[in-house]
Tab-separated table of all heavy atoms in Angstrom:
chain	number	residue	atom	x	y	z
A	64	TRP	N	-49.246	-19.704	183.545
A	64	TRP	CA	-50.633	-19.932	183.933
A	64	TRP	C	-50.973	-21.409	183.841
A	64	TRP	O	-50.311	-22.181	183.159
A	64	TRP	CB	-51.600	-19.097	183.092
A	64	TRP	CG	-51.718	-19.507	181.646
A	64	TRP	CD1	-50.919	-19.114	180.611
A	64	TRP	CD2	-52.679	-20.401	181.072
A	64	TRP	NE1	-51.320	-19.692	179.444
A	64	TRP	CE2	-52.405	-20.494	179.690
A	64	TRP	CE3	-53.744	-21.120	181.597
A	64	TRP	CZ2	-53.155	-21.281	178.831
A	64	TRP	CZ3	-54.496	-21.909	180.732
A	64	TRP	CH2	-54.214	-21.975	179.369
A	65	PHE	N	-52.036	-21.754	184.558
A	65	PHE	CA	-52.527	-23.125	184.618
A	65	PHE	C	-54.039	-23.078	184.438
A	65	PHE	O	-54.683	-22.131	184.874
A	65	PHE	CB	-52.165	-23.756	185.968
A	65	PHE	CG	-50.696	-23.701	186.246
A	65	PHE	CD1	-50.124	-22.590	186.852
A	65	PHE	CD2	-49.873	-24.745	185.869
A	65	PHE	CE1	-48.759	-22.522	187.085
A	65	PHE	CE2	-48.500	-24.694	186.096
A	65	PHE	CZ	-47.951	-23.583	186.701
A	66	PRO	N	-54.628	-24.082	183.802
A	66	PRO	CA	-56.081	-24.055	183.603
A	66	PRO	C	-56.824	-24.224	184.929
A	66	PRO	O	-56.464	-25.067	185.751
A	66	PRO	CB	-56.339	-25.246	182.671
A	66	PRO	CG	-55.149	-26.129	182.819
A	66	PRO	CD	-54.002	-25.256	183.209
A	67	GLY	N	-57.825	-23.398	185.129
A	67	GLY	CA	-58.666	-23.484	186.320
A	67	GLY	C	-60.040	-24.009	185.956
A	67	GLY	O	-60.314	-24.339	184.803
A	68	LYS	N	-60.902	-24.061	186.938
A	68	LYS	CA	-62.273	-24.518	186.712
A	68	LYS	C	-63.036	-23.492	185.883
A	68	LYS	O	-62.777	-22.295	185.957
A	68	LYS	CB	-62.986	-24.725	188.049
A	68	LYS	CG	-62.387	-25.828	188.881
A	68	LYS	CD	-63.107	-25.941	190.211
A	68	LYS	CE	-62.446	-27.006	191.067
A	68	LYS	NZ	-63.031	-27.073	192.391
A	69	ASP	N	-64.007	-23.982	185.125
A	69	ASP	CA	-64.903	-23.109	184.347
A	69	ASP	C	-64.151	-22.151	183.436
A	69	ASP	O	-64.449	-20.955	183.380
A	69	ASP	CB	-65.831	-22.319	185.284
A	69	ASP	CG	-66.711	-23.230	186.132
A	69	ASP	OD1	-67.154	-24.272	185.610
A	69	ASP	OD2	-66.940	-22.898	187.304
A	70	ASP	N	-63.151	-22.664	182.718
A	70	ASP	CA	-62.378	-21.871	181.760
A	70	ASP	C	-61.667	-20.672	182.380
A	70	ASP	O	-61.451	-19.655	181.731
A	70	ASP	CB	-63.267	-21.390	180.598
A	70	ASP	CG	-63.770	-22.541	179.764
A	70	ASP	OD1	-63.008	-23.505	179.575
A	70	ASP	OD2	-64.927	-22.482	179.303
A	71	SER	N	-61.311	-20.782	183.635
A	71	SER	CA	-60.541	-19.714	184.279
A	71	SER	C	-59.053	-20.033	184.156
A	71	SER	O	-58.664	-21.089	183.665
A	71	SER	CB	-60.949	-19.565	185.750
A	71	SER	OG	-60.628	-20.732	186.482
A	72	TYR	N	-58.237	-19.092	184.593
A	72	TYR	CA	-56.788	-19.205	184.521
A	72	TYR	C	-56.242	-19.043	185.938
A	72	TYR	O	-56.665	-18.139	186.660
A	72	TYR	CB	-56.199	-18.117	183.621
A	72	TYR	CG	-56.815	-18.095	182.244
A	72	TYR	CD1	-58.005	-17.414	181.999
A	72	TYR	CD2	-56.213	-18.770	181.187
A	72	TYR	CE1	-58.571	-17.407	180.734
A	72	TYR	CE2	-56.774	-18.762	179.921
A	72	TYR	CZ	-57.960	-18.083	179.704
A	72	TYR	OH	-58.525	-18.083	178.449
A	73	LEU	N	-55.297	-19.878	186.321
A	73	LEU	CA	-54.665	-19.774	187.629
A	73	LEU	C	-53.245	-19.247	187.458
A	73	LEU	O	-52.513	-19.714	186.586
A	73	LEU	CB	-54.609	-21.145	188.305
A	73	LEU	CG	-55.938	-21.832	188.570
A	73	LEU	CD1	-55.705	-23.248	189.102
A	73	LEU	CD2	-56.790	-21.027	189.540
A	74	ILE	N	-52.876	-18.279	188.285
A	74	ILE	CA	-51.516	-17.754	188.290
A	74	ILE	C	-51.039	-17.684	189.734
A	74	ILE	O	-51.847	-17.639	190.663
A	74	ILE	CB	-51.400	-16.379	187.601
A	74	ILE	CG1	-52.270	-15.324	188.284
A	74	ILE	CG2	-51.756	-16.492	186.118
A	74	ILE	CD1	-52.097	-13.911	187.737
A	75	VAL	N	-49.722	-17.687	189.919
A	75	VAL	CA	-49.133	-17.669	191.258
A	75	VAL	C	-48.238	-16.442	191.383
A	75	VAL	O	-47.383	-16.198	190.527
A	75	VAL	CB	-48.298	-18.947	191.516
A	75	VAL	CG1	-47.709	-18.920	192.924
A	75	VAL	CG2	-49.128	-20.194	191.291
A	76	ALA	N	-48.423	-15.696	192.447
A	76	ALA	CA	-47.578	-14.529	192.725
A	76	ALA	C	-46.340	-15.007	193.470
A	76	ALA	O	-46.135	-14.737	194.643
A	76	ALA	CB	-48.345	-13.485	193.530
A	77	ALA	N	-45.498	-15.774	192.773
A	77	ALA	CA	-44.363	-16.445	193.400
A	77	ALA	C	-43.144	-15.557	193.536
A	77	ALA	O	-42.437	-15.624	194.537
A	77	ALA	CB	-44.001	-17.702	192.606
A	78	ALA	N	-42.851	-14.773	192.525
A	78	ALA	CA	-41.638	-13.948	192.505
A	78	ALA	C	-40.411	-14.787	192.830
A	78	ALA	O	-39.506	-14.339	193.528
A	78	ALA	CB	-41.760	-12.750	193.451
A	79	GLY	N	-40.402	-16.017	192.355
A	79	GLY	CA	-39.244	-16.884	192.550
A	79	GLY	C	-38.991	-17.273	193.988
A	79	GLY	O	-37.903	-17.698	194.333
A	80	GLY	N	-39.991	-17.105	194.862
A	80	GLY	CA	-39.807	-17.450	196.262
A	80	GLY	C	-39.165	-16.354	197.092
A	80	GLY	O	-38.638	-16.611	198.169
A	81	THR	N	-39.222	-15.122	196.598
A	81	THR	CA	-38.664	-14.003	197.374
A	81	THR	C	-39.548	-13.713	198.578
A	81	THR	O	-40.684	-14.191	198.675
A	81	THR	CB	-38.576	-12.717	196.518
A	81	THR	OG1	-39.891	-12.358	196.097
A	81	THR	CG2	-37.667	-12.919	195.318
A	82	ALA	N	-39.037	-12.927	199.501
A	82	ALA	CA	-39.795	-12.581	200.701
A	82	ALA	C	-40.995	-11.705	200.371
A	82	ALA	O	-42.013	-11.747	201.059
A	82	ALA	CB	-38.894	-11.871	201.710
Side-chain angles (χ1 to χ4, degrees):
W64 69 274
F65 304 87
K68 295 178 183 175
D69 300 323
D70 295 323
S71 64
Y72 306 84
L73 300 174
I74 60 174
V75 181
T81 61

